Amino acid sequence: MHLARFPRVRLFPAPTPLERLDNLTRALGGPEIWIKRDDCTVVATGGNKVRKLEWLLGEAKELGAGHIVTQGAVQSNHVRQTAAAARKFGMTCTALLEHRVDTNDRDYLSSGNVLLDTLFGCRIEYRPSGLDMNAEAEARGAELRAVGEVAYVIPGGGSNAVGALGYVSCAQELVQQADELGLVIDRIVTATGSAGTQAGLVVGLEGTNANIPVLGIGVRLPRERQEDNVYRLARATAARIGLKGDIARESVVANCDYVGAGYGIPTEGMVEAVHLLAQQEGILLDPVYSGKAMAGMIDLIRKGVLTRGETVVFLHTGGAAGLFGYVDALTRS
């Protein structure tokens, strides 16, 4: 896979750390647990979207764009990172924020990622729940083009065949780190939502013949829909880079048992996972993605699905800024 053929900007120093979680491994008594620290991608407190933005903004710059349009939920990690990265390259950012979580909580509506969006000068527009938000973003981009702006539209989560290149690259990086450490990885676990992170990993691992399965822990959709979305994007990404052969359907696996009442709605497992990682390892998860993914992994260890003798790498997708939007849920006794 020769990714240098595609336009890219550089946003963070690579590689991100790959660390063994000694305390968590002991506490859970299951597999050897490592963590890939994509919360350390620097831009706007970091997160997985920064990897995708290197390729998305690379294409935007090549096309001469001066205005980025994107979308997400009110406490979107993606919007926060996009707004910051756009500013780095002198671009305006308009973000459409969906009221996906039904709440009047002041912290959720104005703190955390929303506060940072505002500090980055992001032009925020709100939308009610239930709309096709990518279509809304495309329509806003068309309106900007109609008045003479060169607008580039980034889908929610940066998840298309361009953005997914960030996690094709991450897969290459992770395999190289593991090889240098002499680390045999049995499984990668990560949150899966807009699909780009998991799809990119699947393609990158296939392209390196790593034979490492990826387990996505879903944060929004039922399993069948989530796996279909990931598989569709994985195939499109593989086609974009010219990967020989097709992506096997069985390589896309999502466990969506830990969503709870819905996207962005706290669960007891998420709260426990956030507290456990903070107190065992001094690492902050987020309440929407990595917190629920870690909750799923912890439960699967306790149930014996992930067992002693395995080596599991948890891909940390960042998002700690979102904790400030969930103060009540995280401090309730």
Side-chain angles (χ1 to χ4, degrees):
M1 296 180 295
H2 190 40
L3 298 183
R5 295 173 294 147
F6 303 99
R8 181 183 190 180
V9 297
R10 299 288 178 168
L11 291 172
F12 68 98
T16 58
L18 176 62
E19 303 170 352
R20 189 180 188 277
L21 298 184
D22 294 322
N23 297 332
L24 186 65
T25 296
R26 280 195 299 270
L28 294 176
E32 181 179 315
I33 304 169
W34 290 67
I35 190 166
K36 176 67 170 163
R37 297 289 305 273
D38 273 14
D39 57 322
C40 298
T41 53
V42 180
V43 176
T45 77
N48 62 323
K49 306 306 189 289
V50 176
R51 285 194 189 270
K52 301 177 183 182
L53 288 164
E54 288 197 328
W55 306 88
L56 291 159
L57 291 182
E59 183 173 86
K61 281 191 67 180
E62 188 171 76
L63 296 172
H67 199 140
I68 301 298
V69 179
T70 196
Q71 61 90 2
V74 170
Q75 281 291 336
S76 170
N77 296 316
H78 162 70
V79 167
R80 177 243 311 158
Q81 292 163 79
T82 302
R87 282 306 192 198
K88 180 177 177 65
F89 293 100
M91 299 174 181
T92 301
C93 182
T94 291
L96 312 184
L97 299 185
E98 178 187 10
H99 285 289
R100 197 176 298 167
V101 177
D102 184 15
T103 181
N104 291 317
D105 185 276
R106 183 176 177 181
D107 290 327
Y108 183 86
L109 296 174
S110 61
S111 186
N113 285 310
V114 180
L115 172 62
L116 297 184
D117 297 341
T118 303
L119 291 176
F120 294 131
C122 186
R123 298 181 182 180
I124 296 173
E125 300 178 14
Y126 289 94
R127 296 289 189 272
S129 177
L131 298 177
D132 182 336
M133 289 298 292
N134 282 334
E136 291 288 310
E138 289 290 352
R140 190 70 185 94
E143 291 171 357
L144 291 167
R145 294 183 199 107
V147 295
E149 295 208 48
V150 182
Y152 182 86
V153 178
I154 295 177
S159 291
N160 59 16
V162 177
L165 295 177
Y167 275 87
V168 175
S169 175
C170 179
Q172 295 176 319
E173 177 182 302
L174 177 56
V175 169
Q176 182 176 348
Q177 286 177 298
D179 287 346
E180 290 173 354
L181 290 168
L183 179 67
V184 178
I185 300 171
D186 295 301
R187 190 182 312 272
I188 297 168
V189 177
T190 190
T192 185
S194 61
T197 299
Q198 187 178 2
L201 285 172
V202 167
V203 173
L205 293 166
E206 176 68 22
T208 56
N209 295 312
N211 197 29
I212 302 172
V214 179
L215 173 61
I217 305 291
V219 300
R220 186 178 185 187
L221 298 175
R223 176 175 179 169
E224 185 175 354
R225 289 178 60 194
Q226 185 64 33
E227 289 185 348
D228 284 349
N229 287 346
V230 174
Y231 181 56
R232 190 162 46 247
L233 182 51
R235 294 188 73 193
T237 305
R240 184 175 186 84
I241 65 173
L243 187 67
K244 292 183 179 179
D246 202 359
I247 298 297
R249 176 62 182 81
E250 57 268 25
S251 68
V252 174
V253 179
N255 182 323
C256 298
D257 295 342
Y258 303 96
V259 175
Y263 174 90
I265 299 175
T267 64
E268 290 183 9
M270 176 278 290
V271 173
E272 182 202 10
V274 168
H275 281 268
L276 188 63
L277 263 289
Q279 293 169 20
Q280 290 288 338
E281 299 287 355
I283 293 174
L284 295 174
L285 301 174
D286 89 297
V288 180
Y289 295 92
S290 57
K292 286 189 176 179
M294 179 59 74
M297 189 178 82
I298 290 169
D299 189 56
L300 292 172
I301 291 171
R302 288 171 175 165
K303 288 178 176 176
V305 177
L306 304 176
T307 62
R308 187 185 297 270
E310 287 187 77
T311 298
V312 176
V313 173
F314 181 83
L315 177 68
H316 188 346
T317 53
L323 293 170
F324 298 99
Y326 287 80
V327 174
D328 184 58
L330 292 165
T331 56
R332 194 182 302 133
S333 59

